[in-house]
Amino acid sequence: MPTSLSSLPEGYDVYMLLTSVNKEELNHKVCAALRMGYRLQGSPVINQSTNRRVYFAQAVYWPGVYDAFDADNA
């Protein structure tokens, strides 16, 4: 399991908020991030904007970098 910045995929951030207006698209983004080695941070979010458009989001983080988020290190 990846545990350092050196193993972070090139071009990716330690923490990412994945978003979409389509829940299936968000599912694909989250699954791709999990396959790379990211972990989920918190619960997914569904929000409706003032223009009545629905947005879906899920935060992910790279394990070991933010030990406070990493349940294996607690």
Side-chain angles (χ1 to χ4, degrees), residues 8 14 17 20-21 28 41 45 51-52 69:
L8 180 67
V14 171
L17 180 62
S20 180
V21 294
H28 290 292
Q41 172 61 38
V45 174
N51 65 0
R52 305 201 38 87
F69 294 155

Side-chain angles (χ1 to χ4, degrees), residues 29-49:
K29 289 180 178 182
V30 171
C31 288
L34 293 175
R35 281 192 298 272
M36 282 190 277
Y38 282 88
R39 293 191 183 165
L40 299 175
Q41 172 61 38
S43 299
V45 174
I46 301 171
N47 190 28
Q48 187 173 31
S49 67

Side-chain angles (χ1 to χ4, degrees), residues 19-32 56-57:
T19 62
S20 180
V21 294
N22 178 296
K23 67 181 176 180
E24 287 80 17
E25 180 185 32
L26 180 64
N27 289 343
H28 290 292
K29 289 180 178 182
V30 171
C31 288
F56 302 90

